[in-house]
Amino acid sequence: MNKPLDIAIVGYGTGGQAAALLLQRDGPRVQVSERVPDPGPVGAGFLLQPTGLQALWRMGLLHEALAHGAPVRRLFGETPCGRAVMDMRYAGLDARLFGLGLQRGALFGLLDRAWRREGNLHAGVRIVRVDEDEGRLFDEQGGSHGPFDLVIVADGSASQLRKQIGGEKLDRAYPWGALWCLLPAGEWPHRNELRQRYVGARKMIGLLPVGSRPGDGARRLSFFWSLPTAGFEHWHARGIEAWREEVAAIWPQAGELLHGIVEPAQLARASYRDAVLPQWQRGRMALLGDAAHAMSPQLGQGVNMALLDAEALRDALRAQSGVYAALAQYQAARRRHVAIYQFWSRWLTPLFQSERDWIAKTRDVAFLPLGRMPGGRGHMLRVLSGTQQGLFGQWKLESGFFDAMAHAMRDGESGPFACD
C-alpha cells in the first residue's frame, strides 16, 4: 500500500494488543479504544499452546514469556477415586513441544510494553457503533472518531458490535461458567502438569501452574471451579467455608491450597459464549479473536486463536493492495483452523460441564482408551496443541520455532523447566 493506513482497534485484550503491535510495526497508524478506564488483565491464568507460543516467537516475545511462564508437558484428569480419565503428553507429538501456563497479567504486560503505546490508547471510551462504510467510530457519549481505513473489533466474546456484521449462525451464552483465582504454588508437586478432577460432568476442579509475573516473582497456580452460571448466587449464599469443605472432599490436596480464600470476592466469575458467524467482515470493519469466534474454554484456545488472528490479519494486509481484499484473505486463512475448534469445543464441553452424568460415565470409560489408540492419540494431541487444521490437516510449526523450544528446554534443565 502506498500510504500508511489509519487503523482503529476496539478492545485492548490479547487480540487487540497483538494486532496493535503487529500492525504498527508495519507502518500503519494505530489507535485503540478501550471501554475500561484503567486497562489491565482479566482472569487468572491460561495455557498457551505451541501455536500461540510460535506466534510470540515470531513477534520476538517468546523468551520473555518463557521467563515468567510455567512449562506444562502433561494434561491429566481423574475422578475422586483415582480413576484416570485423560492423560495426554505433548511429547507424543514432539519431544521439544510443551504448553506454557501463564498469568494473564504477565501476557498483558508483555504485549503492552512491546507496543510501547504513546498516546494511541484511548481508555474509558466505549464504542457503541461503527460506520463500516466510512470507517467511523461512535462512542456512548455521542463522540465521533475517524474516519479510518480499517476498524478492527476485538472487544471479546460478549461483543455487541459483531451484530453489525449480521447473519449469525449461533450466538448464545453457555449455561456453565467458572470461578477462578490465583493461588501460591508452594510445594504443589505437579509443577509441569495441568491437573483436573471430575465428579461426573457436574463438577470439575482444575489446577494449572502459571509461573510468575513482572513485579511479583512468586510462582502461582490458576485454580478453576466449574458451576452453572445460574448457580453463582447460590454459591455465594452458601458461604466460603462450606464450599472449601466441598472442594476438600473431592480433592484434599486442592483443598489445602484454599486456606487463604476467606471471602467470595477473592474468586472471579467467568461466563462464556458460543458465536459462529459466516462472515467476520463488512465494509472496512473486521472482527478478531473472541469477537469473531467465541467458544467454550474447554480446549483452552481463546488466547492462542487471538494471537493467530492478529498474525493472519497482518499477513493479509502485507499481501493485498486493498483493505477489502486483505479482509477476505484474512478470513479465508483462519476459517478452517477456527471451524474445527468450534466443532470440537461444542461437542466436548457437555462431557465435562453438564448435568448429563450418563455422558460423563461414557467419558470415563472411553476417553483414555481412545487417547491411546494410534489414530485417536495423534488426533487428540493435535487438537490439544492447537495444531489441528480442518478434519485432516495440520497447522505448520516452523523448524526455527522447534529449535527455540529445544533451546529453552536445555537452558532450563535445572530451573522451572525441569521435568518432574
Side-chain angles (χ1 to χ4, degrees):
M1 299 184 181
N2 295 325
K3 69 179 183 68
L5 293 175
D6 285 309
I7 297 178
I9 298 175
V10 181
Y12 197 57
T14 299
Q17 287 184 299
L21 171 61
L22 290 171
L23 296 176
Q24 189 159 290
R25 282 178 174 178
D26 273 13
R29 296 182 288 263
V30 178
Q31 296 188 42
V32 180
S33 298
E34 167 55 52
R35 64 182 179 85
V36 177
D38 185 17
V42 178
F46 59 90
L47 183 59
L48 266 178
Q49 301 294 354
T51 49
L53 289 170
Q54 177 171 262
L56 290 182
W57 170 69
R58 288 170 173 162
M59 294 181 196
L61 303 177
L62 178 63
H63 179 77
E64 188 174 350
L66 294 176
H68 290 290
V72 175
R73 296 186 173 86
R74 182 190 190 196
L75 277 69
F76 183 81
E78 63 183 351
T79 65
C81 65
R83 178 175 187 167
V85 175
M86 174 180 66
D87 191 354
M88 293 189 285
R89 300 171 187 261
Y90 289 91
L93 283 177
D94 190 286
R96 296 166 291 182
L97 292 182
F98 51 84
L100 190 74
L102 200 63
Q103 295 182 39
R104 289 191 177 270
L107 182 62
F108 182 92
L110 185 157
L111 292 171
D112 185 63
R113 289 189 299 276
W115 182 34
R116 300 180 186 278
R117 63 178 191 256
E118 297 175 357
N120 293 323
L121 176 61
H122 307 286
V125 177
R126 185 184 185 92
I127 302 300
V128 296
R129 186 170 69 87
V130 175
D131 184 325
E132 61 270 12
D133 294 322
E134 294 189 3
R136 289 187 179 275
L137 309 181
F138 299 90
D139 63 45
E140 63 181 349
Q141 303 301 324
S144 173
H145 310 266
F148 297 95
D149 299 300
L150 172 61
V151 177
I152 301 168
V153 174
D155 56 347
S157 63
S159 173
Q160 295 298 306
L161 295 175
R162 69 163 162 252
K163 291 181 171 60
Q164 291 191 215
I165 301 292
E168 298 98 328
K169 292 183 178 179
L170 185 67
D171 189 355
R172 66 185 180 193
Y174 273 104
W176 287 73
L179 299 169
W180 292 89
C181 69
L182 290 172
L183 300 171
E187 300 301 320
W188 181 249
H190 310 295
R191 58 177 178 161
N192 295 127
E193 301 179 13
L194 165 60
R195 285 264 167 164
Q196 296 178 336
R197 187 163 286 194
Y198 321 110
V199 178
R202 292 171 289 109
K203 296 176 182 178
M204 176 168 62
I205 304 171
L207 282 163
L208 170 69
V210 290
S212 63
R213 66 176 184 268
D216 179 5
R219 304 192 72 80
R220 301 187 185 276
L221 303 169
S222 183
F223 172 88
F224 169 98
W225 171 263
S226 172
L227 80 170
T229 54
F232 281 147
E233 296 309 320
H234 174 70
W235 168 83
H236 188 282
R238 282 180 63 199
I240 203 73
E241 187 60 34
W243 172 72
R244 290 194 329 193
E245 290 175 359
E246 182 180 5
V247 174
I250 297 170
W251 197 352
Q253 294 86 353
E256 293 174 1
L257 298 170
L258 295 173
H259 292 312
I261 304 298
V262 296
E263 56 184 39
Q266 291 177 268
L267 292 109
R269 302 178 183 185
S271 57
Y272 309 102
R273 297 191 70 84
D274 193 5
V276 180
L277 291 82
Q279 296 293 324
W280 298 353
Q281 80 283 343
R282 183 175 178 180
R284 301 185 190 185
M285 171 181 169
L287 304 176
L288 185 145
D290 283 347
H293 44 68
M295 64 187 81
S296 161
Q298 193 61 53
L299 293 174
Q301 294 293 332
V303 170
N304 301 277
M305 291 287 183
L307 293 170
L308 297 180
D309 285 356
E311 274 197 319
L313 182 55
R314 186 273 316 273
D315 292 345
L317 288 168
R318 284 178 173 177
Q320 299 295 332
S321 59
V323 166
Y324 302 125
L327 295 184
Q329 176 180 317
Y330 156 63
Q331 178 168 326
R334 294 292 297 129
R335 174 63 75 187
R336 287 179 65 231
H337 188 234
V338 168
I340 194 64
Y341 282 92
Q342 287 183 314
F343 171 82
W344 280 120
S345 175
R346 195 171 303 117
W347 283 98
L348 286 174
T349 296
L351 297 179
F352 297 91
Q353 290 180 292
S354 72
E355 299 286 353
R356 305 168 188 171
D357 281 345
W358 65 270
I359 292 181
K361 290 178 181 178
T362 304
R363 173 204 69 195
D364 294 349
V365 171
F367 205 82
L368 192 62
L370 283 173
R372 289 173 175 169
M373 293 174 61
R377 177 170 172 267
H379 187 83
M380 283 187 175
L381 287 170
R382 288 193 299 275
V383 171
L384 158 70
S385 63
T387 57
Q388 186 70 25
Q389 173 87 324
L391 287 175
F392 304 107
Q394 294 186 41
W395 186 268
K396 180 177 174 56
L397 295 175
E398 299 179 23
S399 59
F401 169 67
F402 278 107
D403 292 341
M405 295 288 276
H407 184 73
M409 291 176 68
R410 288 194 299 271
D411 284 353
E413 286 178 354
S414 60
F417 284 83
C419 293
D420 287 338

